[in-house]
Amino acid sequence: MSETKKIMIGLLLGVAVGLGLAGLPGNIYDITNTYVLSPVGTVFLNLIKMLVVPIVFFSIILGVMGLGDPKELGRVGTKSILFFLTTTAIAIVLALGVAAIVKPGERGDFPTTGLEFDASGSEESSDIVSTLVNMIPTNPVQALAEGNMLQIIVFAAFIGFALIALGEKARTWRRFVKQGDRIMMYLIHLVMKLAPYGAFALIASAIGGIGFAAVQAMAWYMFAVVFTLVLHSVLIYGGAVAFLGKMNPIFFFKNFYEAMTFAFSTSSSNATLPVSMEVAQTKLGVPRSISSFVQPLGATVNMDGTAIMQGVATIFIAQVFNADLTMAELVTVVITAVLASIGTAGVPGVGLVMLALVLQSVNLPVEGIALIIGVDRVLDMLRTTVNITGDAACAVVVSKLEEKHLPAVDEDSWDEVDAK
């Protein structure tokens, strides 16, 4: 049985167990989650996160070495950023449109008083200039220790340029990077054997913690978010892959399915990164030099799924509080959400902090976020799946657009150089 099927079985069993626990009386769910589900899920996530930073570090160095020319990296980076920002803008416009049609905030009796939400941290997310300036790490070791993805990307890129320039003088370092990458990929294969159990525990914990009442009350809101996520994935990603990447969208989704199921279970773009990179390279045929740069960048910059949640949630909260948003305010929502996506960590729950920033930009009550917290965990799984799918779609598109510029031999050619 393939790993994908095992993960799917784990997910389905997790959903069944989670629904069962949610329907049981007393604190049975709390006990089961505290002593079984949460520990198993956390251990699995920690094993994955343990490998993310070294995998990204080694992969980006190899990717830069494979591209060979700093101009090539600049071209790849520019096309990737344009793709991510464009699709994020489209995502939130779609979300605003769907929410305006579905009207989830008018399909229930929601409280408008006694709501609380801690919006601390949204100010830091809004400082786009600081985010761009801080891409250059003053302490690379600290950046690696803290998992600051943008700083790691920049530092690793500089090392890759240096290894190209030094050539034979850096033969030992080249071998170290190549062997380090192989070690990390072996370890990720080892950890992935635990994926079905981790997926089971994570989804059972999430589903069991929601409860039927919360799902029923927020059904229309959830429907608007899920429908927009699917619509964006099929139309925008599928269209980009077909028309720009010259790849059959069915082939794309079918072969990237393993990474999508993994993202759904972990709810973290960063944690899914090792798996999504390997799947893109081995099953979608994306060159290592492109995948190693585009997908880690996307894990930080690309937040289409989160943007969709923000768009639907903004309209939902506006409807609950009877606030009419003008066209200028809707444009402000789009611009704020797109800019806020830059430099945002790919970890669970960060979308709510970004949503607080969006609500503040159009003077909507931040406390309204408390209405959606109950069901946000499952929706976070779905939007993470969309985020990493967008990263892979971008890698496919960029690799096709850069096909004429890519070297005939990828980074494996360094093995041949070192062997001489």
Side-chain angles (χ1 to χ4, degrees), residues 10 124 134 150 184 243 272 288 298 308 319 353 413 417-418:
E124 293 154 358
N134 291 332
L150 283 177
M184 291 302 111
F243 295 107
T272 310
R288 169 69 69 87
I308 287 171
Q319 291 169 350
V353 176
S413 62
V417 173
D418 292 335

Side-chain angles (χ1 to χ4, degrees), residues 377-417:
R377 183 68 176 86
V378 170
L379 294 179
D380 194 10
M381 293 175 164
L382 289 168
R383 60 180 184 255
T384 299
T385 304
V386 171
N387 287 343
I388 65 108
T389 304
D391 299 342
C394 181
V396 169
V397 169
V398 171
S399 64
K400 186 62 179 180
L401 296 177
E402 291 293 308
E403 195 172 32
K404 296 180 181 178
H405 302 287
L406 291 175
V409 182
D410 209 343
E411 75 284 342
D412 288 329
S413 62
W414 287 104
D415 287 345
E416 300 172 9
V417 173

Side-chain angles (χ1 to χ4, degrees), residues 298-366:
T300 301
V301 176
N302 179 38
M303 294 288 168
D304 290 6
T306 304
I308 287 171
M309 178 275 290
Q310 291 168 354
V312 174
T314 299
I315 298 297
F316 170 76
I317 291 172
Q319 291 169 350
V320 169
F321 286 87
N322 294 315
D324 293 325
L325 297 177
T326 65
M327 182 58 67
E329 288 175 325
L330 292 175
V331 172
T332 300
V333 169
V334 174
I335 295 174
T336 305
V338 171
L339 293 179
S341 68
I342 301 175
T344 302
V347 296
V350 73
L352 295 178
V353 176
M354 292 172 62
L355 175 59
L357 170 63
V358 173
L359 295 177
Q360 289 168 351
S361 70
V362 290
N363 298 316
L364 285 175
V366 175

